[in-house]
Amino acid sequence: MSLDKEKVDMQPSRVLRSTPGAVLARHAGFLLLMPLISTLLAGCAASNRADLTSGSVRDTLRVLAERHHVCGVAVAVIKNRQLDSIESATGCLPASTLAPDSVFQAASLSKPVFAYAVLKLVEQGKLALDVPVMSYLPQGYRHQFNPLKEEPSELVADTRLQAITVRMVLNHTSGLPNWASGPLKVDSTPGKKWQYSGEAYVLLQRAVEAVTGQPLDQFMRAQVFKPLAMNHSDFVWNERIAQNLLPGTKANGAPRATIQWNRPIAAASLYTSAADYGKFLVTLLNDDHLIKQISASPVTVEPGLGLSWGLGWGIERDRDDVSIWQWGNNTGYRAFVIASVRTGDGFVMLTNSENGLELAQPMAQKIVPGEHKLFQSPMLGVDVINVFCTTLRLCL
């Protein structure tokens, strides 16, 4: 999604491995550098294969942060469904000041937290998974072309919106686009195929606000943050959040102008700390009913990689385990969370760097060892622009 002058990178901006040329074509100055791409990516891959298995989680995190110029990273480690430790590191000079309460933009890690609240409303009988979202919005749905601004907007006329259920939003089969900066239209028949959509989450957000009579940020404080003692979390920017918020950075550690989320957006505006998100993850992993509900009837995403999508979470299956996961990508920030349903081990990683997802795979191997084919998915493909930034110092 592009919000014009107030650009917010709320859609996955990591470039699919199969189309790096398409990205570079938008930056004519890079075209002369095309022959270097394969060399650079090969070098990066070799660097990432370096053995990091012998050190502690803390030491591994420090090495990775320095290697990838990640100015601030915090990780909550979960073992056997309990919070084991909070680790942090900085890879920039001067070093960022990090604390257990340091706050980051969690980007799309907002979605599982919102989904948790939605499933609680389902338990309470206030929502139903297989009821159309529009049944909770009898006055219609007004789509804001920029979700951070009231106008321009319009009532959505596409009648296929009536077929989108709560379940379809949570498992990304609504048929809506990820983001639409103009009139909103359904791309494909609701319920037929997986298509990642932030717009669908905003639609469901409006239904939640209508049912509860509260703006999303107030509802989430009462329904999730206060009960779980997530004291450094919110869906909007405020002075309390600002006290501990780390500024976003480019892939080379240079400052990056980022959005200030003054309006709550269910898909992307969560501010949180690693400790707070760790509390949420522990709570979820100890709720057998919700875990079964999330993973019971997933929608196929990439069968060759064992990837599907449940209610609010990506799902990775191998021969003897199921993992839930999600990645996050906002301008100046990257985030990642994964947990094993069988062992109750996992971690959440928050970074204030556009290179932050480079740490996800090695940290997964450290904390939840396994093949994790999800890292082969185009959703987590190589970000060519970041490669140029970190290797050639050409940073957009």
Side-chain angles (χ1 to χ4, degrees):
M1 173 184 177
S2 174
L3 299 183
D4 302 322
K5 294 182 180 178
E6 289 182 281
K7 185 179 180 183
V8 182
D9 198 4
M10 295 191 294
Q11 61 182 344
S13 70
R14 292 175 69 78
V15 181
L16 305 190
R17 290 186 177 90
S18 60
T19 59
V23 176
L24 295 181
R26 293 197 296 268
H27 308 285
F30 282 165
L31 289 177
L32 296 176
L33 302 174
M34 287 288 286
L36 296 176
I37 291 178
S38 59
T39 301
L40 291 171
L41 296 184
C44 290
S47 175
N48 288 337
R49 286 194 296 267
D51 182 26
L52 294 168
T53 60
S54 58
S56 65
V57 170
R58 180 174 301 174
D59 290 341
T60 299
L61 192 63
R62 176 184 54 79
V63 170
L64 289 169
E66 292 176 354
R67 176 182 299 172
H68 296 290
H69 311 287
V70 174
C71 292
V73 53
V75 173
V77 180
I78 311 300
K79 292 292 184 182
N80 194 27
R81 296 176 175 80
Q82 298 297 323
L83 182 60
D84 183 73
S85 64
I86 305 292
E87 308 294 350
S88 61
T90 180
C92 299
L93 293 175
S96 299
T97 301
L98 290 167
D101 298 330
S102 292
V103 171
F104 302 76
Q105 289 189 23
S108 283
L109 269 62
S110 307
K111 293 182 177 74
V113 181
F114 175 67
Y116 172 85
V118 168
L119 293 175
K120 288 297 182 181
L121 290 176
V122 171
E123 285 184 2
Q124 297 163 15
K126 296 179 181 179
L127 292 175
L129 286 172
D130 296 309
V131 168
V133 177
M134 292 302 296
S135 67
Y136 303 107
L137 298 169
Q139 305 304 315
Y141 175 54
R142 181 166 290 278
H143 171 250
Q144 297 166 210
F145 295 1
N146 178 338
L148 300 175
K149 297 179 180 180
E150 290 288 347
E151 299 295 340
S153 68
E154 70 172 15
L155 283 172
V156 179
D158 193 328
T159 58
R160 291 174 294 176
L161 208 67
Q162 303 290 335
I164 298 172
T165 66
V166 173
R167 185 188 303 276
M168 291 174 193
V169 171
L170 296 181
N171 66 17
H172 293 290
T173 60
S174 69
L176 290 173
N178 192 12
W179 296 106
S181 57
L184 180 64
K185 296 182 179 180
V186 178
D187 285 343
S188 59
T189 303
K192 291 297 184 182
K193 67 176 184 178
W194 185 85
Q195 178 176 322
Y196 195 80
S197 176
E199 289 287 359
Y201 268 70
V202 177
L203 171 65
L204 182 54
Q205 172 185 337
R206 300 307 177 213
V208 167
E209 292 172 333
V211 166
T212 63
Q214 294 179 295
L216 178 68
D217 53 314
Q218 294 181 21
F219 166 70
M220 293 300 294
R221 287 178 208 138
Q223 181 77 23
V224 180
F225 301 149
K226 186 175 181 179
L228 301 189
M230 296 172 65
N231 299 321
H232 299 276
S233 300
D234 215 317
F235 264 84
V236 292
W237 181 95
N238 53 49
E239 291 297 335
R240 175 175 58 86
I241 289 297
Q243 291 176 5
N244 299 297
L245 179 63
L246 292 181
T249 66
K250 299 179 182 180
N252 65 347
R256 169 72 81 187
T258 59
I259 196 69
Q260 182 171 294
W261 298 90
N262 294 316
R263 294 175 182 267
I265 305 296
S269 72
L270 175 64
Y271 291 94
T272 193
S273 67
D276 273 12
Y277 209 98
K279 292 175 184 177
F280 162 69
L281 189 55
V282 164
T283 299
L284 180 62
L285 290 171
N286 282 284
D287 192 326
D288 289 340
H289 173 71
L290 274 184
I291 287 292
K292 290 176 181 177
Q293 192 174 27
I294 288 167
S295 57
S297 301
V299 175
T300 299
V301 178
E302 294 182 69
L305 300 179
L307 301 184
S308 55
W309 219 271
L311 301 183
W313 288 86
I315 296 176
E316 179 190 57
R317 295 181 184 272
D318 62 21
R319 286 174 295 181
D320 60 354
D321 200 4
V322 173
S323 296
I324 55 175
W325 69 284
Q326 174 72 55
W327 87 106
N329 181 340
N330 276 8
T331 302
Y333 298 89
R334 300 292 188 267
F336 185 80
V337 60
I338 187 171
S340 163
V341 171
R342 178 176 60 83
T343 67
D345 295 347
F347 71 95
V348 57
M349 179 188 75
L350 304 175
T351 81
N352 71 333
S353 169
E354 293 180 349
N355 220 28
L357 283 176
E358 297 297 333
L359 281 58
Q361 184 172 11
M363 290 305 298
Q365 290 299 324
K366 188 72 179 179
I367 299 169
V368 281
E371 187 174 4
H372 294 306
K373 291 184 178 180
L374 69 92
F375 292 108
Q376 300 175 32
S377 169
M379 286 184 281
L380 292 170
V382 172
D383 191 325
V384 176
I385 302 304
N386 280 357
V387 171
F388 276 99
C389 183
T390 55
T391 59
L392 299 180
R393 300 183 181 179
L394 296 175
C395 301
L396 299 177

